[in-house]
Amino acid sequence: MTSAYEPLSLNVPEPGCRPGDTPDFSDFEIPRAGDVKRPPVDVDPDAIRDMAFSIVRVLNKEGEAVGDWAGDMSAAELREGLRHMMVLRTFDARMLTAQRQGKTSFYMQHLGEEAVSCAFARALQPGDMNFPTYRQAGLLVASGYPMLTMMNQIYSNAEDPLHGRQLPILYSSKEHGFFSVSGNLGTQFVQSVGWAMASAISGDTKIATGWIGDGSTAENDFHAAMVFASTYKAPVVLNIVNNQWAISTFQGIARGGVGTFAARGHGFGIASLRVDGNDYLAVHAVAKWAAERARRGCGPTLIEHVTYRAGGHSTSDDPSVYRSRREAAAWPLGDPLERLKTHLITIGEWSEERHAQAEAEILAEVTAVQKQAEAVGTLGDGKAPSPRDMFEGVYETMPPHLVRQRQEAGY
Amino acid sequence: MTMIEAIRDAHDVAMAADDRVVVFGEDVGFFGGVFRCTAGLQEKYGKSRCFDAPINESGIVGTAIGMAAYGLKPVIEIQFADYVYPAYDQIASEAARLRHRSNGDFTCPLVIRMPTGGGIFGGQTHSQSPEALFTHVSGLKVVLPSNPIDAKGLLLSAVADPDPVIFLEPKRLYNGPFDGHHDKPLTSWKNHPLGDVPDGDNAIPLGKATITRDGADVTVLAYGTMVYVAEAAAEETGVDAEIIDLRSLLPLDLDAISASVRKTGRCVIVHEATRTSGFGAELMSLVQETCFYHLEAPVIRVTGWDTPYPHAQEWEYFPGPARVGEALKKVMED
Ligand SMILES: Cc1ncc(C[n+]2csc(CCOP(=O)(O)OP(=O)(O)O)c2C)c(N)n1
Ligand SMILES: [Mg+2]
């Protein structure tokens, strides 16, 4: 029997570039800065469907801020923003080295993505709640969370607020609007929607933000979050950080044949747009717009932050095995720190000298804090919280079986 | 009052007392639930306190976790325990661990209700008893009432509890006690002393078992529908069994269990769930650890078979009074 059909074959998407290839982003369509218009915050999601296929950008090649989305931050605020990103980058570099030196088990850095969380944090109000992933520490850095506490957590030392129970960098700070990071991908996206629903149920004016990576949008909970956000018009800003990679898997595996991740919002009637994630001003402007929309009861917004994970996925990863070493340098949206620095210099609010001085100051500060943290303790130096503590806090009141087990363990 | 009415009443009492209590789930709002356990609540408390949810169990539990973290007290319904699996990740990885991993920075006071167990010709998708999948997870409490008074009292305690509680409702008991004699006429909770549910806030503490039948010869550990099956088996065999209704599997009333087994020297464990790694295995270990030198015979388990819950063969699967009776006789002979 011969079939009238050709044998089927499976479509497995491949990235444009693998180790040894020459990176080529010529297919990646990048609108000019200032091209995308800023709609009113109460816009009908249907009226901005095109925004899911474009990219909001403010900073142009010359370092000028242009278009509708420019102009909502003062020079002082921008300098502060630059400082936050510099702190985060320095912090990451120091902690990466500390991990290599065996002072902690694990670390994940933000290299290339600093603008996303640092700029976003500045668009929120006290009392709002972020449901972050492990790659949004900028939310803490830019909202004044003590760097020392972050390091104590990373070292699981005696002053770790989480008592050594949680993996390094999976911070928690209700006070700073930073929900305890789970480590299970996607689960918290839908929790952010629930938190936002609770705010609406309670007649509050606080909003929530959900965070998820490009790869993790494939999880069921991404879709669950969209259904609930859409149905209940929850006051939530849903953020997809598309840094092009999910460990070794390029974003096309999660995205499939669809145009963009942001376009997934269309089926749910959610206002959906993309932003240049390496443009501090654009991220901030879009975050403010979406937060205002949520706070005014206009419903959820889905934001795809288009960026690039310039470093390894984590300290356990070697990206040169699956992608070209030259890809990061070829990434067309540049480096977020360089771009903001250039902008500040262009408008006469910063200089190479001041930058070099700030860099030196920040390094000295981070190093000093690190010394303090290491004086308290590092992982495995015997100064960790007592093992007795692991039995605490499983429940508010320890049930009898846990009391027995704690005694059996000798604590 | 039926168990359904008792559960509805508990919701009513909790919602009236605390406007942070919110109730939602599939068909829970306007209609009041497929078993009607939330009937009238939307009308009484408004649509933002009792509402219908999309058919997405992970989303129902996930949003409830976010609400609990905000400061509300969600009481949510999973339409059947058989459909909780899409939400298992949210329950086991998130709700159960939030307090511990954040060192109390965030907590998760949350009640997840679901009808459990068979006996209604529900086949494999409306009959399962997944309690052991929850007792195995640290950070959860697991409660399983067997009558209207307990259902109301335990649900009120579950709502007041600061931690996530899995509240399993034996659906075969919703409308009346059931001893496994499926060919006999139905009995109802009307005129039954355990259907005489007191008004108001009569919370029953979690972690306390109750002895439903005093006896000298053998201790039977049971919960849910199996309490009535065990009672029937004791009457029919004439074995003087002491029957303990555990009511709460976690925390577990180990004191009540060991006091009874030390007295009788014999123990039969009964549950409807599949046997291997079932909660009976945990009970047997605990009995062995705490009562070994008082035991006069090996402990016996009577459980559902390790197969999917069948449809047409329901009564061959269900551990009814005949099988429990055989175990009672055997443990007396051993
Ligand atoms: C449920 C779950 N599955 C798998 C993992 C393992 N894992 C950790 S990070 C990661 C990649 C995530 O990629 P993406 O969502 O793009 O986020 P990014 O790391 O790029 O920020 C995977 C597969 C996990 N933590 N949780
Ligand atoms: Mg990614």
Side-chain angles (χ1 to χ4, degrees):
Chain A
M1 283 273 282
T2 54
S3 167
Y5 300 99
E6 291 292 313
L8 291 163
S9 69
L10 187 70
N11 174 55
V12 181
E14 270 296 323
C17 162
R18 286 292 193 190
D21 297 343
T22 302
D24 175 11
F25 286 104
S26 54
D27 291 356
F28 179 40
E29 270 179 56
I30 308 168
R32 278 184 322 179
D35 269 5
V36 178
K37 298 279 162 271
R38 178 184 193 133
V41 294
D42 60 355
V43 70
D44 179 347
D46 249 0
I48 57 163
R49 288 173 74 94
D50 55 336
M51 287 182 80
F53 301 98
S54 192
I55 302 179
V56 174
R57 305 181 67 230
V58 171
L59 293 174
N60 67 16
K61 279 211 181 67
E62 288 68 44
E64 298 152 338
V66 295
D68 283 2
W69 296 87
D72 73 355
M73 290 188 101
S74 70
E77 287 173 322
L78 291 175
R79 275 193 301 268
E80 205 191 356
L82 180 61
R83 191 186 143 75
H84 291 147
M85 292 198 286
M86 290 166 76
V87 168
L88 183 55
R89 188 166 289 185
T90 309
F91 184 94
D92 277 348
R94 299 291 308 181
M95 291 296 101
L96 207 63
T97 307
Q99 190 276 339
R100 299 286 185 231
Q101 294 167 339
K103 293 172 183 170
T104 189
S105 56
F106 176 78
Y107 193 72
M108 295 174 102
Q109 55 172 340
H110 304 73
L111 193 66
E113 304 176 36
E114 292 90 345
V116 174
S117 53
C118 287
F120 203 98
R122 306 302 289 175
L124 296 173
Q125 291 185 5
D128 292 343
M129 187 61 68
N130 291 288
F131 288 73
T133 78
Y134 43 74
R135 229 186 285 281
Q136 275 92 44
L139 295 170
L140 287 174
V141 169
S143 61
Y145 188 72
M147 213 189 305
L148 177 61
T149 316
M150 291 170 74
M151 288 184 184
N152 288 336
Q153 198 280 334
I154 290 164
Y155 289 145
S156 287
N157 66 23
E159 281 170 31
D160 168 9
L162 308 183
H163 293 196
R165 294 174 189 169
Q166 185 58 299
L167 263 186
I169 75 166
L170 302 185
Y171 314 102
S172 172
S173 176
K174 191 178 200 168
E175 194 190 336
H176 288 79
F178 194 93
F179 188 77
S180 150
V181 184
S182 159
N184 283 45
L185 298 173
T187 49
Q188 304 192 255
F189 212 54
V190 64
Q191 292 166 13
S192 74
V193 177
W195 197 99
M197 288 168 67
S199 177
I201 289 169
S202 309
D204 205 339
T205 57
K206 299 188 189 103
I207 66 165
T209 73
W211 294 87
I212 202 164
D214 47 273
S216 309
T217 60
E219 289 280 5
N220 300 340
D221 280 339
F222 171 78
H223 304 269
M226 303 284 275
V227 176
F228 280 72
S230 157
T231 299
Y232 301 107
K233 249 182 137 184
V236 66
V237 183
L238 296 169
N239 297 282
I240 302 167
V241 181
N242 177 4
N243 61 7
Q244 313 303 319
W245 291 92
I247 311 184
S248 71
T249 306
F250 91 114
Q251 44 86 21
I253 294 288
R255 186 170 50 80
V258 173
T260 68
F261 287 102
R264 301 244 196 253
H266 289 162
F268 298 92
I270 293 177
S272 305
L273 56 91
R274 294 167 93 208
V275 63
D276 177 344
N278 292 15
D279 179 338
Y280 185 93
L281 285 81
V283 172
H284 183 266
V286 160
K288 257 199 123 155
W289 183 86
E292 182 69 11
R293 203 177 141 72
R295 213 178 302 280
R296 283 208 207 159
C298 304
T301 304
L302 180 67
I303 302 175
E304 176 184 342
H305 300 261
V306 183
T307 183
Y308 186 83
R309 194 197 79 212
H313 169 73
S314 71
T315 46
S316 319
D317 180 42
D318 172 11
S320 69
V321 178
Y322 53 80
R323 70 182 190 189
S324 164
R325 288 178 198 276
R326 286 174 295 157
E327 199 178 83
W331 171 246
L333 296 178
D335 177 75
L337 271 76
E338 282 303 314
R339 286 175 68 192
L340 182 54
K341 173 189 160 196
T342 306
H343 171 61
L344 280 164
I345 293 175
T346 305
I347 60 172
E349 293 286 349
W350 197 239
S351 66
E352 290 291 354
E353 296 71 47
R354 287 175 78 179
H355 194 80
Q357 196 190 338
E359 261 179 349
E361 277 169 20
I362 287 168
L363 180 61
E365 185 195 334
V366 176
T367 312
V369 174
Q370 188 179 0
K371 278 218 178 74
Q372 261 181 287
E374 291 180 4
V376 179
T378 56
L379 184 68
D381 69 1
K383 291 189 240 167
S386 158
R388 183 188 166 89
D389 179 78
M390 74 185 160
F391 294 95
E392 301 287 343
V394 182
Y395 301 89
E396 188 184 75
T397 310
M398 196 180 296
H401 72 286
L402 270 184
V403 176
R404 285 194 301 272
Q405 288 175 28
R406 193 189 63 197
Q407 286 161 352
E408 184 186 329
Y411 305 106
Chain B
M1 214 183 253
T2 66
M3 198 148 147
I4 291 166
E5 288 161 338
I7 289 164
R8 184 194 307 155
D9 191 33
H11 280 90
D12 194 3
V13 170
M15 291 177 89
D18 185 352
D19 57 17
R20 293 173 307 165
V21 177
V22 293
V23 175
F24 64 103
E26 293 157 19
D27 301 296
V28 156
F30 184 82
F31 179 54
V34 292
F35 288 102
R36 318 311 316 282
C37 290
T38 57
L41 298 175
Q42 181 172 83
E43 203 180 352
K44 186 161 176 189
Y45 296 100
K47 281 214 281 194
S48 65
R49 300 218 23 226
C50 178
F51 51 89
D52 290 322
I55 304 170
N56 187 313
E57 292 75 16
S58 183
I60 292 170
V61 176
T63 52
I65 292 168
M67 291 179 196
Y70 175 92
L72 298 184
K73 294 197 129 232
V75 181
I76 56 177
E77 179 177 293
I78 300 293
Q79 201 158 73
F80 287 86
D82 315 65
Y83 305 134
V84 73
Y85 306 115
Y88 195 71
D89 186 32
Q90 287 286 349
I91 297 172
S93 312
E94 302 288 330
R97 293 198 226 135
L98 185 55
R99 175 189 293 281
H100 190 260
R101 76 168 195 241
S102 72
N103 191 25
D105 197 23
F106 293 92
T107 61
C108 195
L110 166 66
V111 182
I112 307 174
R113 297 176 37 246
M114 59 193 95
T116 184
I120 63 156
F121 279 105
Q124 20 187 291
T125 56
H126 304 84
S127 308
Q128 296 168 40
S129 298
E131 63 271 14
L133 295 177
F134 299 111
T135 55
H136 196 56
V137 176
S138 61
L140 300 177
K141 296 184 179 178
V142 181
V143 177
L144 206 147
S146 68
N147 62 70
I149 292 179
D150 283 357
K152 178 177 173 185
L154 293 169
L155 184 52
L156 284 168
S157 288
V159 177
D161 200 273
D163 288 304
V165 180
I166 306 295
F167 195 84
L168 295 154
E169 301 167 2
K171 65 178 91 64
R172 181 63 216 230
L173 302 181
Y174 269 154
N175 289 305
F178 175 64
D179 65 8
H181 286 294
H182 51 92
D183 38 5
K184 287 202 194 136
L186 296 176
T187 47
S188 101
W189 289 115
K190 216 191 217 158
N191 305 323
H192 192 289
L194 292 170
D196 191 12
V197 180
D199 284 340
D201 187 355
N202 282 282
I204 295 172
L206 308 185
K208 290 270 169 271
T210 178
I211 295 175
T212 69
R213 183 188 191 283
D214 286 314
D217 292 346
V218 47
T219 300
V220 179
L221 304 179
Y223 47 91
T225 311
M226 291 303 126
V227 170
Y228 304 96
V229 173
E231 285 172 357
E235 296 318 314
E236 288 155 21
T237 55
V239 174
D240 189 17
E242 179 146 294
I243 299 172
I244 299 187
D245 177 359
L246 297 174
R247 304 203 283 193
S248 158
L249 307 186
L250 204 149
L252 182 71
D253 194 347
L254 185 57
D255 291 343
I257 295 170
S258 29
S260 175
V261 177
R262 281 162 188 239
K263 181 181 79 175
T264 61
R266 292 182 161 80
C267 182
V268 170
I269 296 165
V270 194
H271 63 58
E272 205 184 321
T274 47
R275 179 170 304 172
T276 302
S277 307
F279 193 66
E282 179 62 30
L283 291 171
M284 189 172 305
S285 290
L286 290 169
V287 166
Q288 186 276 132
E289 285 165 22
T290 58
C291 309
F292 183 78
Y293 296 106
H294 296 78
L295 286 175
E296 301 191 17
V299 179
I300 299 180
R301 282 181 290 179
V302 187
T303 69
W305 308 118
D306 284 353
T307 69
Y309 210 112
H311 180 238
Q313 306 82 350
E314 173 145 53
W315 303 117
E316 286 71 41
Y317 178 93
F318 187 93
R323 275 171 61 200
V324 177
E326 285 307 311
L328 291 178
K329 283 190 272 180
K330 179 163 194 310
V331 81
M332 292 312 298
E333 287 158 13
D334 279 346

